[in-house]
Amino acid sequence: DLVRSRGLGDVYKRQQVVVKVQRPNIVPKVQADLLILHDALATLARFTPWIRDNNVLGIFEQFAANLRVELDYRNEAYQARRLAENMTTYPTIHVPAIYGHLTSSKVMTMELVSGVKVNRVEAIDEAGLDRSQLAQTFFSAMLKQIIFDGYFHGDCHPGNVLVDLAR
């Protein structure tokens, strides 16, 4: 949990962080799985007009290309920084900071943030937070991302959306 502080020299301070580490050998495993799926879809496309007519193989190839990009955590770190910058207009939304000097293709280090998963309704109610306001802010932020930014965070499951009960 040592992170270089921004400032002069190699000054370090203790800070809790989240470290995402890629599973060993996951890249060749994913590549092999993608090849198997590609071959299966290509075979099905020869015999199934619906798959051919709806370009399912093309859709799969786009999915596979995106998945390959996501296997490099530097891309995820870039996207997180981009999202943080885009969300500065929402003072109640906080995107964890990324520590670039501790991030590589296989390891990503980010700020640890506190909160409860957005689906912990009882805890949110006990804290006296307005769920309607939370939902409105979330919806507004998603619309901004899609309509104005041309970029949105597509992984909005409860593990990625936390509510700070202290607010």
Side-chain angles (χ1 to χ4, degrees), residues 27-42:
V27 173
K29 288 178 184 178
V30 168
Q31 295 284 29
D33 289 346
L34 290 173
L35 284 173
I36 291 167
L37 288 170
H38 180 275
D39 289 349
L41 278 173

Side-chain angles (χ1 to χ4, degrees), residues 91-164:
T92 59
I93 294 179
H94 178 76
V95 178
I98 302 296
Y99 299 103
H101 63 287
L102 297 173
T103 295
S104 69
S105 63
K106 297 183 183 312
V107 176
M108 184 168 67
T109 307
M110 67 186 90
E111 170 189 13
L112 175 67
V113 294
S114 63
V116 298
K117 292 180 180 180
V118 71
N119 63 353
R120 296 268 323 275
V121 177
E122 305 81 23
I124 293 168
D125 288 345
E126 285 176 21
L129 298 175
D130 183 352
R131 283 190 281 146
S132 295
Q133 182 62 47
L134 290 172
Q136 185 175 350
T137 300
F138 182 80
F139 183 70
S140 176
M142 290 300 293
L143 280 179
K144 177 189 180 299
Q145 291 173 49
I146 294 167
I147 295 172
F148 297 106
D149 301 337
Y151 161 81
F152 72 99
H153 189 290
D155 198 13
C156 297
H157 59 79
N160 282 344
V161 181
L162 302 178
V163 176
D164 183 354

Side-chain angles (χ1 to χ4, degrees), residues 53-117:
D53 295 345
N54 290 288
N55 194 23
V56 173
L57 192 56
I59 294 168
F60 171 78
E61 288 170 352
Q62 184 64 52
F63 165 79
N66 289 338
L67 185 57
R68 288 183 188 100
V69 168
E70 288 184 18
L71 289 171
D72 184 334
Y73 288 169
R74 293 172 297 192
N75 293 314
E76 186 174 344
Y78 167 78
Q79 298 300 338
R81 287 188 203 99
R82 184 176 174 191
L83 179 64
E85 184 177 318
N86 290 348
M87 291 294 100
T88 57
T89 57
Y90 293 92
T92 59
I93 294 179
H94 178 76
V95 178
I98 302 296
Y99 299 103
H101 63 287
L102 297 173
T103 295
S104 69
S105 63
K106 297 183 183 312
V107 176
M108 184 168 67
T109 307
M110 67 186 90
E111 170 189 13
L112 175 67
V113 294
S114 63
V116 298
K117 292 180 180 180

Side-chain angles (χ1 to χ4, degrees), residues 11-27:
V11 177
Y12 288 88
K13 63 179 180 175
R14 287 187 78 69
Q15 182 173 347
Q16 289 188 330
V17 296
V18 173
V19 179
K20 180 176 178 178
V21 179
Q22 195 172 85
R23 292 181 184 269
N25 301 315
I26 195 67
V27 173

